[in-house]
Amino acid sequence: MKLELQRVWEQVIEGNKAGVEVAVRAARGAALTPEQILNEGLIAAMTEVGNRFERQEFYVPEMLVSARAMQAGLALLKPQLMESGVKAVGKVVLGTVRGDLHDIGKSLVGMMLEGAGFEVIDLGTDVGPEKFGEAVRTHRPQLVGMSALLTTTMQNMKSTLEALEDLGVRSQVKVMVGGAPVTESFAREIGADGFAPDASRAVALAKSLL
Ligand code: B1M
């Protein structure tokens, strides 16, 4: 791994927000692309944080400081990750499902969708089925995007889809799902219209669903 990327990786693991900012700027200065810094630096580090959590070398506070540090790096990359000057191609209501507080992946998906010209209404985290339904009625999007990071909360994607049916708005929108434990077959099983494993493929999927 390039030294600059190694530095980004280390600073996220250490949860050093200021250190991540310095390292991301240095990586940009060394002509590394935003995608390289994101995938091989920031995201790779969060994967390692998760592994350490599983091995009980890290606990929730360490995960949290690493997440904050990663978000600081992400904020610096945001302008470059977003393509500029693209007209609104569609509207997406996006959120992390009920019971789930993980927001980095969802925010990244939102950022990339905005960059590709979508208007994104980000409902945040811990979004219940009724709130998704209400947002569809109010904002009339073409797409609904749900994110889940826990095997327990991914089940709430199904209840959200059911709520959209009950409210009579399911046929008005295409629903896409994603998040670490979510798979293509799970998406099919619950009746979603599509699944994407990462943010750039979420953009491609959103475009194809329109
Ligand atoms: Co949590 N956590 N966490 N955590 N956390 C995981 C998810 C875990 C895998 C860690 C582990 O054990 N290895 C594990 C889940 C196990 C499981 O369910 N099988 C776990 C656990 C157990 C927990 C708690 C229960 C811990 C506890 O309290 N005992 C707790 C739950 C809280 C809750 O939500 N109710 C918890 C808490 C937290 C923090 C709050 C400390 C923090 C989140 C902070 C925040 O988001 N602001 C946190 C973190 C940081 C993680 C890890 C380390 C990193 C997640 C992350 O941000 N990844 C994570 C381990 C891991 O994933 N390796 C872990 C980077 C991000 C860019 O990737 O979110 O996957 P990701 O998003 C990707 C794709 O999935 C996809 O695109 C994104 C970009 O490529 N994608 C979509 C995501 N959403 C999409 C939507 C789409 C399409 C694609 O369409 C709409």
Side-chain angles (χ1 to χ4, degrees):
M1 193 194 279
K2 284 214 162 150
L3 193 67
E4 290 81 5
L5 291 175
Q6 176 75 28
R7 192 86 189 124
V8 172
W9 188 90
E10 280 166 8
Q11 295 302 305
V12 173
I13 305 270
E14 282 177 25
N16 183 349
K17 199 169 157 219
V20 169
E21 287 170 344
V22 170
V24 167
R25 287 201 179 97
R28 287 297 289 141
L32 289 160
T33 66
E35 288 77 14
Q36 273 178 306
I37 302 170
L38 176 67
N39 294 320
E40 296 169 44
L42 299 173
I43 293 183
M46 288 313 287
T47 306
E48 175 60 18
V49 168
N51 293 341
R52 291 187 189 193
F53 177 76
E54 266 176 38
R55 297 198 297 266
Q56 298 188 338
E57 292 164 14
F58 269 20
Y59 296 93
V60 172
E62 284 92 348
M63 276 211 287
L64 202 52
V65 286
S66 287
R68 289 198 184 129
M70 176 183 176
Q71 276 162 330
L74 208 52
L76 287 181
L77 294 180
K78 187 174 176 180
Q80 288 100 48
L81 288 173
M82 294 172 61
E83 302 158 21
S84 58
V86 195
K87 282 222 180 74
V89 290
K91 205 189 276 186
V92 189
V93 158
L94 184 68
T96 304
V97 294
R98 172 165 287 161
D100 200 319
L101 301 174
H102 296 85
D103 74 345
I104 298 176
K106 180 266 302 160
S107 301
L108 191 55
V109 168
M111 212 183 269
M112 302 286 270
L113 285 170
E114 275 182 9
F118 285 86
E119 183 187 345
V120 176
I121 291 132
D122 190 337
L123 303 178
T125 59
D126 190 17
V127 182
E130 58 297 326
K131 197 167 172 192
F132 273 109
E134 201 181 290
V136 170
R137 280 198 163 153
T138 313
H139 301 286
R140 302 188 166 278
Q142 290 88 358
L143 292 167
V144 170
M146 288 189 271
S147 180
L149 263 286
L150 301 171
T151 43
T152 45
T153 58
M154 63 194 266
Q155 307 305 329
N156 296 334
M157 291 177 158
K158 189 166 187 276
S159 37
T160 304
L161 280 160
E162 285 163 1
L164 296 181
E165 282 286 357
D166 293 346
L167 287 168
V169 295
R170 175 67 183 93
S171 59
Q172 296 166 22
V173 288
K174 297 283 185 196
V175 177
M176 54 192 270
V177 294
V182 180
T183 60
E184 182 89 57
S185 66
F186 176 77
R188 253 199 309 271
E189 194 185 304
I190 62 170
D193 299 299
F195 156 79
D198 58 42
S200 51
R201 275 176 281 186
V203 171
L205 172 66
K207 285 180 177 166
S208 75
L209 286 175
L210 279 186

